[in-house]
């Protein structure tokens, strides 16, 4: 790990100012991904701005939404009474991620900003356009069983590894950011971006911007929800494919639905067309199958990840079945 | 006088447990030496070729850096010129590659430089600044692509009696003409030991000709021999300490380049050097289970008698070493088959050398054999347990001689009851619980009950306790605990009065820990040392005490501070008196296998594993819901620690069956699985409450203790048990490990 | 020097350590600190610091409490809590198993919560109370979890054990030890390659069911 300056501001403005004036500076919150990457020389920040002492940890009920501070920790959020009551899908997604120890370190803001787990990104001796633009995508013709089936480009086929973000995009959350130019609100689906020609950029955050909170609008998804994550071992692994499903049921009829997938694209993958298939239909496996089919439209596999074309819809069906039965 | 309870067989807690649960146990990177420095290795980023230059300037200038050593400036290591040239000496000193000796790159991440600094952070940073330039050559890292160049190992070519030669009884490839036959190909991919402790060494030149290393090794004496030879030193000038070894599973069976590099670095900076590999380097620098392709053909009669088996295997090795393992051994002796053929080949790739990984080749071979047994049973519509019973061997069909002991049928019975084998349905896909398909499978394992020679030091201390010493290591099975129990029973002394010290090359000679042979080998030495001490004390007592002069050896009893006689409480001699007569030094005893038992009998441990699995019908997720492992391993010295070893092997088998898979991107020759996020090993949630049962009957021939060994049979046969259960649940036969969800969805 | 002499010839390596050290100091004393701004990996190396100036610049003060002992330290910001514990405070009970938060061997408690000490900078823990395996027992009296690990043989090689025990204590304190399945899920961040999982779970269940204060 390179040497760097370390500052620990206690005021939000000081933190933003510190970042805005230094292109090679970076915020550090939980550090669970940043330090990992710095140890391997993937990232070499000149200055780390420790934001852990900023007062951004509150979870509070607002008029019509739940607001979760960006520095609230993943573990405590997953077990927060308000979250469990009002957004149990988020709680499930958080609990499916990482380990108890990491969830005690990782923050909500940091979780959104975690980098891909593509092995080519992690190895400085391999080509990767995300790490070093212009070097090529190692995965495109390489070992790509973990990679994207939606929204990729010829520059990058990596997937976003966050579980939490899959729930948040399904729940129509909004990311609150504060920067040198003031505050702004970013709809969750616009927060992460597709790789296109600039895979080095994971999100639409601008230089100097700090995530302060995430807001989740109140919705009737308090019971019939499921975050179903398929991985290569029973716990403590990134998803092959995951699905977040939330249903509002009227008897056995689906009144409204939310659906998103993880492990399939450069961003958490919202499935609005599939949601529309569900609305007004009975909550049966046949309905879920129809929705899953729509969800997979446009999917394209590479050499090693064709299984995702089958695992994807099956995971959606399983998540919907579990949600309906909850 | 109360005789202490029998300790062999008791569920005694580990004698070193307190150190391990308090954090006081000291592993090889944890010795606080004055002036300690930190080293980090830099690996090659190409797979094959030559180093044209190495830019070390930036690293040398970085704060705190004490040395940057490459093949351009590495000091002369005397043994590098002679090692391997003397045919009477083993060639392996860190493998045949000498670190920093020349410009040749033979595998990706081969060490090209070592950076030493005054702090770990500084060393790691500076290591990142070292840049090699290379002239690349075309490489090959895929066994599938190199299969056609596979060859018979040289050791077999040179010696027709070598077990790696082709084997046959009856007709060659007779299965091909069988009425009911199968022919299947199997793949066990590269798996990596990945013990929790990163490989580490602290090297300290205490004088220009005296080297002490605190090293992660399974054999302190072998490591001492290697580095004494490497530096042209008498063996007594090299001391190897490995008091605690944080797991190894085979990867510390011989010395590696990083150890040589740390010793060179300590020489150069003239201070102690600590080197701990990174988890990435654990994939490239300290061995692995080789990718192995197998083909198995089998024929049988309709009533379930095997008529022929042909089992072929091709395993990978490096370009500079011919690594071999006993992949086909179990096939030759496990089942009656009048016609049997085995062919073993290896293929050279531009990779580092493999090293035996737990249950080594036998575990690989058992995946093919035990899967094929299940396939044939299915073909014949016979219960797989019944099929195995119909082909049970009452004597060794390979060597045509009796088993020293074999209680595998008892194991079958114990395991089948515990797993609920009667619930198993012959027709796959018959049992279901909601979305989960349920299946049962079994797999058999065997491993030679090896016993070598060993010594033990023993000494009576003034406080009435007995100190035993052995150079043996304990990589986890609880060696010191078992030895303490053996000594306690032999001496008739409470275990608290016995101290067993290990992990130091200055102690009594002992073999490298591996091959399930330690209790078999060191146990008898401890036993005989205890008898020798007793005899010595009895002789001494006899010289001053008439009762002892006429007493039988077995009546001598250790009591609180006294030597006494069974049935004669009046006869007592204080230890203090005896100690005045002895010099207080050690009695050293050597124990060797006696007689012709190993020629007259085939000696094996046996195990069977029964698995119940649940497979998700939609997602292909597999959960092992029950795992029962039963072993015929002779006398069980400590059921608690032995049971733990069995459970651990079963968990290793879950990893092998369901998730472990080290993958190289052959375009670069570089691993893309580099850490525990990419290379999955089982976590708590993957493990059921593993059930273990031992037959616990002594073997009459292996040694006087009746032990046969546990470490390997704990894993051999587990992966096929799980694969067979998956077939029973789903009807899908997966012949390439690991069985990840994607394979079950196709 | 003759080849058979056990005294090794170091001339090819540029002399003994002391010589090397002197050469290094001579080189570095010719250079003055050009800049105080450390750069990314390569730039940082190009900047040529005088050792003392560099050392003063690199380190920042840090106060924290470890196992009830208050420490006033001076550390490089890049030092992780794990490396601080092991290499500077010599508390080697906390283990390095991967250094990437993927194994749990480095688990410690910070203000009572379990974390991976390899993935946090020591300076980020300013003012916090750290408990390591060495601080778990009460003098000679082992913590109930340590006793249970002994009794149930919840380990083999012992390397993951401190992390398992610290995690197990937290698992009960958090209320995540109510069933075998829950224990397995919430202990999954602690890998045991020896595979002693069944015994570890038995140990945790015993402590949990025993109702002792953890």
């Amino acid at each position: 790990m390179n040497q760097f300056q370390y500052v620990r501001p206690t005021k939000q403005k000081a933190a933003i100012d510190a970042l805005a004036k230094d292109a090679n500076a970076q915020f550090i919150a939980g550090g669970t991904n940043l330090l990992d990457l710095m140890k391997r020389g993937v990232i070499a920040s000149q200055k780390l701005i420790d934001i852990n002492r900023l007062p951004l940890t509150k979870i509070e009920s607002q008029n019509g939404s739940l607001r979760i501070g960006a520095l609230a920790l993943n573990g405590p959020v997953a077990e927060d009474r308000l979250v469990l009551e009002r957004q149990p899908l988020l709680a499930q997604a958080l609990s499916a991620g990482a380990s108890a120890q990491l969830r005690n370190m990782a923050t909500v803001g940091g979780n959104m900003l975690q980098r891909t787990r593509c092995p080519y990104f992690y190895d400085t001796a391999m080509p990767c356009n995300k790490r070093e633009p212009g070097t090529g995508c190692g995965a495109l013709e390489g070992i790509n069983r973990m990679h994207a089936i939606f929204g990729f480009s010829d520059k990058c086929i990596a997937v976003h590894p966050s579980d939490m973000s899959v729930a948040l995009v399904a729940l129509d959350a909004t990311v609150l950011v504060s920067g040198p130019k003031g505050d702004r609100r970013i709809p969750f689906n616009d927060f992460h971006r597709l790789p296109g020609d600039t895979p080095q950029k994971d999100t639409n955050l601008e230089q100097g911007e700090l995530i302060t909170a995430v807001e989740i609008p109140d919705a009737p998804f308090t019971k019939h929800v499921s975050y179903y994550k398929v991985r290569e071992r029973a716990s403590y692994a990134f998803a092959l494919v995951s699905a977040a499903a939330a249903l509002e049921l009227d008897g056995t009829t689906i009144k409204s639905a939310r659906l998103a997938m993880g492990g399939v694209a450069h961003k958490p993958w919202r499935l609005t067309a599939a949601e529309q298939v569900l609305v007004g239909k009975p909550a049966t496996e046949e309905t879920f199958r129809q929705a899953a089919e729509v969800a997979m439209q446009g999917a394209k596999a590479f050499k090693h990840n064709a299984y995702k074309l089958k695992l994807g819809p099956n995971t959606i069906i399983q998540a919907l079945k579990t949600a309906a039965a909850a | 006088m109360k005789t202490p309870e029998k300790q062999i067989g008791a569920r005694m807690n580990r004698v070193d447990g307190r150190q391990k649960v308090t954090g006081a146990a000291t592993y090889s990177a944890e010795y606080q030496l004055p002036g300690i420095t930190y080293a980090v290795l830099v690996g090659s980023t190409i797979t094959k070729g030559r180093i044209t230059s190495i830019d070390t300037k930036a690293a040398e200038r970085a704060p705190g850096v004490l040395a940057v050593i490459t093949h351009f400036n590495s000091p002369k290591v005397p043994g590098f010129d002679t090692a391997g040239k003397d045919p009477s000496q083993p060639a392996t000193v860190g493998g045949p590659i000498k670190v920093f000796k020349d410009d040749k790159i033979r595998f990706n991440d081969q060490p090209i430089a070592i950076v030493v600094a005054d702090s770990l952070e500084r060393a790691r940073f500076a290591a990142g600044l070292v840049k090699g330039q290379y002239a690349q050559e075309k490489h090959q890292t895929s066994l599938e692509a190199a299969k056609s160049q596979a060859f018979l190992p040289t050791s077999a070519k040179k010696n027709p009696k070598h077990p790696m030669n082709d084997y046959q009884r009856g007709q060659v490839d007779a299965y091909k003409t069988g009425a009911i036959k199968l022919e299947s190909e199997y793949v066990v991919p590269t798996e990596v030991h990945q013990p929790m402790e990163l490989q580490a060494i602290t090297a300290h030149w205490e004088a220009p000709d005296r080297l002490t290393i605190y090293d992660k090794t399974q054999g302190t004496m072998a490591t001492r021999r290697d580095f004494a030879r490497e530096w042209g030193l008498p063996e007594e000038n090299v001391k190897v300490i490995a008091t605690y070894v944080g797991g190894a599973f085979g990867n510390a069976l011989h010395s590696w380049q990083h150890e040589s590099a740390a010793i060179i670095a300590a020489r150069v900076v003239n201070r102690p050097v600590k080197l701990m590999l990174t988890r990435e380097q654990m994939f490239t620098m300290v061995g692995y289970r080789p990718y192995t392709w197998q083909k198995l053909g089998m024929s049988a009669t309709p009533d379930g008698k095997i008529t022929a088996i042909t089992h072929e295997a091709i395993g990978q090795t490096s370009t500079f070493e011919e690594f071999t393992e006993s992949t086909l051994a179990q096939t030759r002796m496990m089942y009656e088959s009048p016609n049997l053929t085995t062919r073993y080949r290896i293929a050279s790739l531009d990779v580092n050398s493999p090293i035996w990984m737990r249950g080594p080749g036998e575990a690989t071979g058992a995946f093919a054999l035990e899967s094929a047994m299940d396939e044939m049973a299915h073909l014949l519509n016979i219960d797989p347990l019944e099929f195995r019973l119909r082909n049970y061997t009452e004597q060794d069909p390979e060597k045509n001689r009796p088993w020293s002991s074999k209680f595998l049928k008892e194991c079958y019975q114990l395991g089948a009851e515990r797993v609920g084998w009667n619930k198993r349905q012959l027709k796959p896909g018959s049992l279901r619980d909601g979305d989960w398909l349920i299946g049962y499978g079994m797999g058999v394992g065997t491993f030679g009950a090896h016993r070598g020679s060993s010594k033990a030091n023993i000494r009576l201390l003034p406080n009435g306790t007995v100190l035993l010493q052995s150079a043996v290591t304990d990589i986890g099975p609880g060696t010191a605990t078992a030895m303490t129990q053996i000594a306690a029973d032999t001496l008739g002394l409470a275990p608290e009065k016995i101290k067993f010290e290990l992990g130091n090359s200055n102690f009594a000679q002992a073999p490298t820990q591996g091959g399930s042979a330690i209790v078999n080998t060191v146990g008898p030495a401890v036993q005989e040392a205890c008898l020798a001490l007793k005899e010595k004390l009895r002789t001494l007592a006899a010289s001053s005490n008439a009762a002892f002069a006429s007493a039988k050896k077995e009546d001598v009893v250790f009591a609180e501070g006294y030597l006494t006689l069974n049935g004669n409480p009046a006869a007592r001699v204080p230890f203090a008196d005896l100690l005045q007569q002895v010099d207080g030094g050690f009695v050293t005893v050597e124990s060797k296998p006696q007689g012709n038992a190993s020629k007259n009998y085939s000696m094996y441990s046996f195990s069977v594993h029964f698995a119940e699995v649940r497979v998700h019908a939609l997602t292909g997720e597999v959960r092992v819901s029950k795992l029962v492992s039963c072993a015929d391993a002779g006398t069980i010295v400590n059921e608690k620690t032995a049971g733990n070893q069995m459970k651990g092997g079963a968990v290793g088998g879950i990893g092998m069956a369901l998730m472990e898979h080290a993958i190289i991107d052959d375009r670069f020759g570089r691993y893309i699985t580099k850490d525990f996020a990419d290379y999955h090993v089982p976590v708590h949630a993957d493990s059921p409450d593993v059930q273990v049962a031992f037959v616990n009957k002594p073997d009459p021939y292996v040694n006087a203790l009746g032990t046969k060994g546990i470490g390997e049979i704990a894993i051999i046969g587990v992966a096929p048990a799980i694969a067979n259960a998956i077939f029973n649940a789903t009807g899908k036969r997966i012949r390439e490990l690991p069985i990840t969800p994607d394979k079950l969805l196709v | 020097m003759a080849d058979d002499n056990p005294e090794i010839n170091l001339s090819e390596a540029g002399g003994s350590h002391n010589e090397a050290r002197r050469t290094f100091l001579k080189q570095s004393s010719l250079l003055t600190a050009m800049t105080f701004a450390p750069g990314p990996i390569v730039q940082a190396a190009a900047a040529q610091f005088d050792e003392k100036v560099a050392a003063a610049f690199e380190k920042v003060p840090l106060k924290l409490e470890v196992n009830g002992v208050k420490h006033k330290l001076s550390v490089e910001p890049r030092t992780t809590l794990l490396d601080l514990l092991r290499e500077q405070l010599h508390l080697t009970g906390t283990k390095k198993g991967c250094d990437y938060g993927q194994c749990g061997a480095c688990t410690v408690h910070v203000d009572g919560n379990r974390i991976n000490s390899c993935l946090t900078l020591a300076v980020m823990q300013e003012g916090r109370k750290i408990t390591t395996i060495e601080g778990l027992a009460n003098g000679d009296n082992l913590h109930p979890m340590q006793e249970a690990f002994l009794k149930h043989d919840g380990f083999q090689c012992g390397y993951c054990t401190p992390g398992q025990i610290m995690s197990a204590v937290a698992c009960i304190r958090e209320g995540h030890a109510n069933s075998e399945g829950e224990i397995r899920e919430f202990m999954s961040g602690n890998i045991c390659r020896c595979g002693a999982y069944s015994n570890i779970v038995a140990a945790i269940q015993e402590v949990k069911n025993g109702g002792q204060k953890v």
Side-chain angles (χ1 to χ4, degrees), chain B residues 13-263:
Chain B
N13 288 348
R14 283 174 199 251
V15 295
D16 50 2
R18 195 180 172 95
Q19 276 68 35
K20 288 180 175 176
V21 300
T22 56
T26 307
Y27 298 81
S28 49
E30 297 171 351
Y31 287 84
Q32 313 301 338
L33 303 178
I36 193 111
T37 65
Y38 297 83
V40 172
L41 280 171
V42 180
S44 149
T45 55
I46 68 153
T47 300
K48 189 178 184 183
R50 292 186 182 277
I51 304 168
T52 53
S53 68
I54 303 179
D55 183 357
T56 58
K57 288 213 173 52
E60 281 160 1
R61 275 203 304 262
V65 170
L66 303 170
V68 180
I69 303 161
T70 70
H71 76 277
F72 291 109
N73 65 349
S74 185
K76 185 176 163 59
V77 179
F80 277 8
D81 295 329
T82 54
K85 289 188 181 160
D86 177 354
S88 72
Q89 301 288 353
T92 300
V93 184
I97 295 187
K98 308 302 163 221
V99 73
F100 311 142
K101 184 160 187 295
D102 58 33
D103 61 355
K104 200 169 173 197
I105 298 297
R106 296 159 177 92
F107 61 91
N108 209 304
D109 210 26
Q110 176 185 321
I112 62 163
I114 189 166
V115 177
V116 189
D118 59 3
S119 80
L120 178 58
E121 291 79 9
R122 289 169 151 192
R124 183 156 57 194
F125 168 65
L129 303 170
V130 176
K131 300 285 178 226
Q133 299 290 327
Y134 309 91
Q136 282 201 59
E137 292 163 28
K138 201 167 171 283
H139 63 257
Q140 177 58 272
T141 53
S142 160
L143 182 85
E144 292 297 337
K147 255 181 352 201
S148 59
Q149 281 108 57
F151 57 92
L152 185 70
T154 310
S155 50
K157 274 182 208 154
K158 282 186 179 163
N159 174 9
K161 290 194 169 158
H162 196 279
M164 294 300 152
N165 276 296
D166 293 359
Y167 168 86
Q168 83 182 65
R169 61 175 182 256
Q171 286 183 304
V172 177
D173 295 338
Y175 80 95
K176 289 181 176 171
T177 55
I180 303 169
K181 65 180 173 186
L182 60 81
E183 186 185 280
S184 302
E185 292 183 20
Y186 303 87
V187 169
V188 174
T190 298
E191 296 165 1
V192 192
H193 311 65
Q194 300 298 353
M196 295 316 296
E197 183 197 18
L198 297 159
Q199 228 81 359
I201 175 170
T202 304
H204 185 197
W205 287 94
E206 302 203 47
D209 62 348
R210 296 194 82 83
L211 172 67
T212 297
I213 59 175
Y214 307 84
D215 194 16
K216 175 163 187 151
T217 172
Q218 292 173 238
T220 58
M221 305 209 65
T223 301
R224 177 176 81 171
R225 181 204 66 205
D226 285 353
F227 293 112
R229 197 171 296 150
E230 194 156 293
W231 288 90
L233 298 170
E235 287 199 10
E236 58 270 24
N237 285 24
V238 176
K239 185 159 77 175
V240 179
I241 311 273
T243 312
Y244 291 95
V245 178
F249 314 106
N251 84 346
L253 278 169
H254 73 52
S255 309
W256 297 97
Q257 290 188 50
H258 73 275
E259 292 161 282
S260 298
I263 294 167

Side-chain angles (χ1 to χ4, degrees), chain C residues 60-64 66 71-75 84 88-89 122:
Chain C
V60 297
L62 169 66
K63 276 192 252 179
L64 43 76
V66 182
H71 292 269
K72 269 188 169 176
L73 305 158
S74 172
V75 300
L84 177 81
Q88 294 183 44
L89 303 181

Side-chain angles (χ1 to χ4, degrees), chain B residues 11 13-14 16-18 20-27 29-32 36 38 58-66 72-78 118-122 124-125 128-129 131 192-198 205 208-209 231-234 244-247 249 267-271 274 276 278-280 357-358 474-478 640-649 651-652 655 660 674-691, chain C residues 3-18 20-21 24 27 31 39-49 51 54-55 58-59 76 78-80 83-84 86-100 102-105 133-137 139-142 145-147 149-162 164-165 180-181 183-202 204-205:
Chain B
R11 296 177 56 83
N13 288 348
R14 283 174 199 251
D16 50 2
R18 195 180 172 95
K20 288 180 175 176
V21 300
T22 56
T26 307
Y27 298 81
E30 297 171 351
Y31 287 84
Q32 313 301 338
I36 193 111
Y38 297 83
E60 281 160 1
R61 275 203 304 262
V65 170
L66 303 170
F72 291 109
N73 65 349
S74 185
K76 185 176 163 59
V77 179
D118 59 3
S119 80
L120 178 58
E121 291 79 9
R122 289 169 151 192
R124 183 156 57 194
F125 168 65
L129 303 170
K131 300 285 178 226
V192 192
H193 311 65
Q194 300 298 353
M196 295 316 296
E197 183 197 18
L198 297 159
W205 287 94
D209 62 348
W231 288 90
L233 298 170
Y244 291 95
V245 178
F249 314 106
R267 190 85 196 176
V268 170
V269 300
N270 199 22
R271 284 164 67 174
K274 186 194 293 195
M276 186 179 241
T278 63
R279 194 47 80 178
E280 288 97 323
M357 178 166 159
R358 194 174 195 175
D474 179 4
I475 60 174
K640 188 182 283 194
T641 53
N644 198 349
Q645 251 201 103
M646 289 297 291
K647 293 175 188 180
V651 171
E660 295 189 38
K674 285 187 245 294
D675 57 30
F676 284 136
D678 299 323
Y679 184 87
H680 291 142
V681 301
V683 296
H684 273 278
D686 293 300
S687 170
D689 185 11
V690 181
Q691 302 294 311
Chain C
D3 275 345
D4 56 354
N5 193 321
E7 179 85 44
I8 309 303
N9 187 345
L10 281 175
S11 61
E12 288 175 52
S16 68
H17 159 64
N18 284 338
R21 186 80 184 156
F24 174 77
Q27 283 169 353
L31 310 162
I41 288 188
V42 178
Q43 284 165 12
Q48 293 150 346
F49 294 106
E51 265 206 326
E58 288 160 12
K59 294 197 172 181
E76 283 193 23
R78 64 181 164 180
T79 303
T80 62
D83 288 335
L84 177 81
R86 284 174 65 83
E87 306 302 340
Q88 294 183 44
L89 303 181
H90 303 312
L91 292 168
T92 54
T94 305
K95 303 301 183 193
K96 181 180 285 188
C98 71
D99 219 16
Y100 302 134
Q102 298 167 348
C103 79
I133 190 72
E134 291 93 343
L136 200 58
D140 281 345
N141 296 322
L142 294 182
M145 192 62 76
Q146 292 170 315
E147 291 282 9
F149 267 63
L150 274 176
K151 178 179 166 190
H152 291 278
D153 209 33
F155 52 89
Q156 290 175 37
C157 79
Y159 199 77
C160 75
T161 312
Q164 297 279 359
I165 291 175
E180 190 188 317
I183 291 170
R184 288 190 190 281
E185 171 58 30
F186 280 87
M187 287 298 293
S188 281
N190 291 83
I191 294 175
C192 172
R193 188 62 162 148
C194 297
Y197 292 133
S198 298
N199 292 1
I200 294 169
V201 171
I204 297 172
Q205 283 181 307

Side-chain angles (χ1 to χ4, degrees), chain A residues 13-52:
Chain A
K13 187 171 179 312
I16 293 166
D17 287 350
L19 185 63
K21 66 183 180 206
D22 193 341
N24 289 308
Q26 206 156 359
F27 292 134
I28 183 166
T32 54
N33 191 205
L34 178 59
L35 293 177
D36 177 14
L37 291 164
M38 288 183 73
K39 284 180 186 186
R40 307 187 207 221
V42 175
I43 292 177
S45 295
Q46 289 185 349
K47 183 198 262 185
L48 288 188
I49 303 159
D50 179 353
I51 56 172
N52 285 293

Side-chain angles (χ1 to χ4, degrees), chain B residues 648-699:
Chain B
V651 171
I654 293 174
M656 195 175 173
L658 300 182
M659 60 194 83
E660 295 189 38
H661 189 189
I663 304 168
I664 287 179
D665 182 333
D666 294 319
R667 297 171 303 164
F668 305 103
R670 215 167 151 81
Y671 278 104
I672 64 145
T673 47
K674 285 187 245 294
D675 57 30
F676 284 136
D678 299 323
Y679 184 87
H680 291 142
V681 301
V683 296
H684 273 278
D686 293 300
S687 170
D689 185 11
V690 181
Q691 302 294 311
V692 175
F694 293 112
V695 176
N696 200 5
K697 288 186 182 163
D699 182 286

Side-chain angles (χ1 to χ4, degrees), chain B residues 288 316-323 347-354:
Chain B
Y288 53 89
Q316 78 178 59
T317 186
S318 63
T319 54
F320 47 88
E321 209 167 9
E322 290 191 13
F323 174 84
S348 298
L349 302 178
D350 296 307
V351 293
N352 198 0
S353 298

